[in-house]
Amino acid sequence: NISDAVLAVEAIAAEDEETGDVLIKADAIFASDALVQIKPTPNPDADPKTSFALGEIDKGKTRINAVRSYPKNTDIEVRYVFHNKAPRVGGGAEVTDARNVAVRVMHSFIEVPENDYQPRRDDARIGFFGEQVTDLTSTEAAPYRDLISRWHLVKKDPGAAMSEPVEPITWWIENTTPVEWRDLIRDAALEWNKSFEKIGFKNAVVVNIQPDDADWDAGDIRYNVLRWTSSPNPPFGGYGPSFTNPRTGQIIGADVMLEYSFMTRVLRARGLIQDPVALAPETLEATYDPAFGTAYCSLGHGLQVNTIFARAAADALYGLDDDLDQQLTRDTMHYLILHELGHTLGMNHNMKATQLLSPEEAFDAETVAERNIAGSVMDYPAINFAPTREQQTLYY
């Protein structure tokens, strides 16, 4: 009683009688939404007068842009063009012409690793991302064998209390990243080594900078890349996706996207001021994505709003000078890196961690130096803004 999904049916163009390999013409599979749903399912309760809607896939304009093959993955880049003959809503600044909207999608085929990785069972009280596995032969009331998402770390010296891993989690700062931010990004990422030392790993996380003459790109899954992006209507301040083996939970590769607008003073939700209709509840509901539901990280949005508040409050209370402004930016960026890297390590959100300290303790430098200001970097914290400049400790 399990329904198999037939994604596509194609004629066999040729067959190798010795190996049994078959050849098909796969263009039509990738130039359609056969593999994965590209166009979001519209919200039936959305008002069509205010919600943007894509048309249908225009087969004549849709193209396979590129096929990139790497040692452990193959990426097929497709430019889907949706045609809407008479759209009611023109869309945002990123939409050039609402009648013909191009969406670029990368289909990745990833080799499943063969190694001695040992899956680890999940406990819902801990807060890991994971793979849902059900034991259909179990007689238990809860036949779940869910597995956490984690990296394959193995000690070089299994008998040592502290050892470097055989293969560390290596990150590369993309060479498009502004030079002035690279040290901050590297130092924040390396902070995670303190946690791995607690379980006996030294230098578990390594950070390098992608050379300008590198012969590889971020599409190669062997490279975990801290990427620098810029969008006219950024959907995030930063986020950290990862790829896992669905049968074991092993994390195979990951990236962290850092949106340039996060570092600016431009409020992402400027529509609240300029266009109230654009961010009305019924409009926001229309942007619901069935592929992700509501389970996405919006930390960057919250941090940016917090930071804008802190700048305005500091300026009003005691004057915002360059030193204070730089500390605020550094603390915010540092926290964003820690949080998004946490996701790539398999960790989910922890929405109670900021209850660690009282307000008095949070503004006491000695307490903050000893205990920090939160129990986890996986929370969505309110900014730790002090009423006076002298009381200010860490913002995050």
Side-chain angles (χ1 to χ4, degrees), residues 345-361:
L345 297 174
M347 296 182 186
N348 212 325
H349 288 133
N350 179 340
M351 296 306 193
K352 204 173 183 178
T354 51
Q355 299 182 26
L356 180 68
L357 302 182
S358 68
E360 292 76 18
E361 292 173 324

Side-chain angles (χ1 to χ4, degrees), residues 117-123 126 128-131 133 145-153 196 199 201 247-250:
Y117 175 86
Q118 296 297 312
R120 183 170 296 173
R121 290 278 296 277
D122 187 24
D123 186 323
I126 303 301
F128 274 89
F129 291 118
E131 301 295 339
V133 181
R145 301 290 182 270
D146 295 349
L147 309 174
I148 69 170
S149 300
R150 67 187 179 98
W151 292 84
H152 187 208
L153 285 181
F196 284 101
I199 57 171
F201 283 99
R247 295 178 177 174
T248 66
Q250 178 189 346

Side-chain angles (χ1 to χ4, degrees), residues 62-96:
T62 296
R63 290 286 184 273
I64 296 175
N65 280 354
V67 178
R68 301 183 181 93
S69 288
Y70 307 98
K72 295 185 179 297
N73 66 294
T74 293
D75 291 347
I76 299 175
E77 179 187 318
V78 183
R79 185 191 64 186
Y80 296 92
V81 178
F82 292 86
H83 181 67
N84 188 343
K85 184 176 181 180
R88 300 186 67 173
V89 179
E94 69 279 8
V95 178
T96 308

Side-chain angles (χ1 to χ4, degrees), residues 39 52-58 81-85 98-99 101:
K39 178 181 176 180
F52 178 78
L54 291 172
E56 300 301 323
I57 292 180
D58 188 326
V81 178
F82 292 86
H83 181 67
N84 188 343
K85 184 176 181 180
R99 297 171 302 170
V101 176

Side-chain angles (χ1 to χ4, degrees), residues 228-251:
W228 193 264
T229 61
S230 183
S231 310
N233 185 25
F236 47 78
Y239 74 103
S242 62
F243 305 94
T244 59
N245 181 347
R247 295 178 177 174
T248 66
Q250 178 189 346
I251 299 176

